[in-house]
Amino acid sequence: YGLLQDTWVQWREKTGVKLRKPFLEYVNIANQAAKLNNFTDMGAMWVDSYENSTFRSDVGKLWDQLKPFYQQLHAYVRRKLRGVYGSDVITAKGPIPANVAGN
């Protein structure tokens, strides 16, 4: 577990720090482009491409249907990871540590 955690932290420090500024610049440019095309931001522009005025509510309904399966899958993965790493690393509730969840 320690090696996974160290590797994950180093990867995040090396890539996250370097990519933060360029990513924020990308988001800013994308939002400016969206505004030039009469959208509030790039997210609104992406959603518009689905040509469905109920897209957001449709996705919400799909999530409501999928959520019980997701919760069961999450519980199953947590139980298996607790068997590998122990309950001191993988808690009974809360998020699964990203360094053991993979990419």
Side-chain angles (χ1 to χ4, degrees):
Y1 174 79
L3 178 60
L4 281 175
Q5 185 175 21
D6 291 343
T7 303
W8 187 85
V9 168
Q10 289 177 28
W11 175 72
R12 295 287 294 179
E13 287 175 352
K14 298 285 185 196
T15 60
V17 171
K18 289 180 181 178
L19 293 177
R20 182 176 176 81
K21 185 177 178 185
F23 179 74
L24 291 174
E25 290 173 5
Y26 162 75
V27 169
N28 187 32
I29 291 167
N31 284 334
Q32 288 176 16
K35 287 176 184 175
L36 290 172
N37 287 289
N38 299 316
F39 293 97
T40 56
D41 57 30
M42 190 54 129
M45 191 167 157
W46 284 337
V47 169
D48 185 70
S49 67
Y50 290 100
E51 298 179 6
N52 182 344
S53 62
T54 62
F55 177 75
R56 289 185 190 269
S57 65
D58 292 346
V59 170
K61 290 174 188 173
L62 288 171
W63 171 245
D64 289 342
Q65 294 173 9
L66 184 62
K67 188 175 178 181
F69 170 74
Y70 174 81
Q71 290 172 324
Q72 289 177 356
L73 178 63
H74 194 268
Y76 174 80
V77 169
R78 174 185 305 286
R79 187 174 72 243
K80 291 296 186 179
L81 288 172
R82 282 174 64 106
V84 172
Y85 296 108
S87 59
D88 56 321
V89 174
I90 310 295
T91 61
K93 295 186 184 266
I96 295 172
N99 60 300
V100 299
N103 293 336

